[in-house]
Amino acid sequence: MKAIGIAIAAAFAALTFAAPMAAFAADKATPYTKDQLNQGKKEAPPLLAASGATCTLTNAAFVGQGSAKDEKGKEVKQTVYEVSCSEGLGYALIAMAGQTPKTFDCVSLIGNANLACKLPENADPKKGLQPLVAAAGSQCTLSDARYLGAKPTGESYYEIGCGTEPGFLLETNKGQKPKMIGCDLVSGNMACKFTSQAMLDAANNAKVSALLAKSGQTCQMIKSRTIGPLQSGDYAYEVACQGDKGFVLIATAQGAYSKSVNCANAGDSCKLTDSTKAETAETGTYTKLAKASGFQCDVAKYRFIGTDKSNAEVVELQCANRPDGVVAMFPADNKGKAKFMDCVQAGAIQQACKLTDTAALYPKYTEALASKGKKTCKVSGAHGIGTTADGTTFVETACSDGLPGWVIAMNANGSVSELLTCGQAKSSGAACTLPGNTK
């Protein structure tokens, strides 16, 4: 039995976008004149270069000239051009006196009441996105597209429709490879309109079924969901099976099967599987492992936490035969003895028990203080605040009478090596924080 930790990458968050402002009133139905085309080809190139847009010019037209208010509210001269580019996307190019020229791509202008692309090369603006879709690694034949907005940092976002296949969001940024963002990872004002939930479900189930077949796991699939990208660059999916079991299936960035993780060992990654039943699936195994390492615990329930630097499994155990649950560290491949920290000491490694109430351990620490002559303190609070390389754990205690508590240095074998005042502990780099100890 070997659990595998899953590090989930940050989810795609809803964003606030600034849509391009209306730039210039123009007649959308009338083609450009020969003079407009000639003027555009002459005047647009240097302005286009100054704008910083990625565009190898193939055609250009002068749209018109007028006045507009700049960012300071001053009325200035404004000149508008339309350009088409060999890269695909065409643009409206807007030059305002005293400012860097700006571009708004033709897809972003779909539905704009004041400005539209009219060059023959830009007649179907969404086709301009097809090269970017291919550059992102998709074989989608683009059927629909709409502009979602741009961030101040330069990223622009579009929704891409792929006919009967699920579409995605396309993220573009100057000088960077376009990126795809799955419709199953976005919501709110970023939610896809060209891709239905039924399309997503069907595609996801097909993908998960293929991964499941390669995993070797026995599972009659009930449903599945996309978890999303992992920090490793891999991609994770959850599948729920008949019989109250489930798995996280992990694929490489290229879509190939990588590994599977039982939901019992996947922490909070599983949402479709009954976690209560999943977390009791291997109680017998953990009971044997714990007892083999000297901790007498009939495991009633467990919670997989992750893996540590040595690749040991870190698991919280709730025991049916004793009140003091522990955080156990089972070595990789179960070679060697496990280490255990009770739910109070676990604070020293930044862990908190969720299956056991730490108050059940307070009498243990009251007795530990008494063994060192401190018999007037009834422990009303305790938590681990530090460890040393030799296995010593420092536990801060609080006393029910409100007087200052003590810091207990516990040896790896569970015995008390010494008591420290909070002042002494602080000078060693382990500050007290419990009420009554910070006065």
Side-chain angles (χ1 to χ4, degrees), residues 268-330:
D268 297 328
S269 297
C270 290
K271 307 295 183 185
L272 304 178
T273 301
D274 186 328
S275 60
T276 301
K277 294 180 179 179
E279 290 169 355
T280 59
E282 296 188 55
T283 54
T285 300
Y286 282 121
T287 295
K288 291 178 182 178
L289 290 174
K291 290 183 176 180
S293 295
F295 185 68
Q296 299 303 309
C297 173
D298 295 328
V299 179
K301 194 174 181 180
Y302 63 89
R303 179 176 66 91
F304 178 74
I305 296 172
T307 54
D308 64 14
K309 293 180 180 179
S310 68
N311 206 32
E313 262 184 86
V314 183
V315 185
E316 179 188 354
L317 304 180
Q318 181 191 68
C319 308
N321 60 322
R322 54 194 298 169
D324 55 333
V326 295
V327 171
M329 286 145 280
F330 296 106

Side-chain angles (χ1 to χ4, degrees), residues 231-246:
Q231 292 176 354
S232 62
D234 291 342
Y235 219 81
Y237 306 85
E238 180 187 358
V239 56
C241 316
Q242 286 191 351
D244 297 312
K245 66 177 181 178

Side-chain angles (χ1 to χ4, degrees), residues 386-403:
T387 61
T388 61
D390 64 2
T392 301
T393 303
F394 295 89
V395 175
E396 178 193 0
T397 62
C399 304
S400 60
D401 58 11
L403 295 175

Side-chain angles (χ1 to χ4, degrees), residues 342-400:
D342 70 36
C343 287
V344 166
Q345 295 178 33
I349 57 170
Q350 289 75 53
Q351 294 298 328
C353 289
K354 296 183 179 180
L355 305 178
T356 300
D357 185 357
T358 56
L361 290 161
Y362 294 167
K364 168 184 173 179
Y365 290 97
T366 297
E367 292 178 7
L369 289 173
S371 71
K372 290 294 184 179
K374 307 301 179 183
K375 299 181 179 181
T376 60
C377 177
K378 181 179 179 181
V379 173
S380 58
H383 71 139
I385 59 174
T387 61
T388 61
D390 64 2
T392 301
T393 303
F394 295 89
V395 175
E396 178 193 0
T397 62
C399 304
S400 60

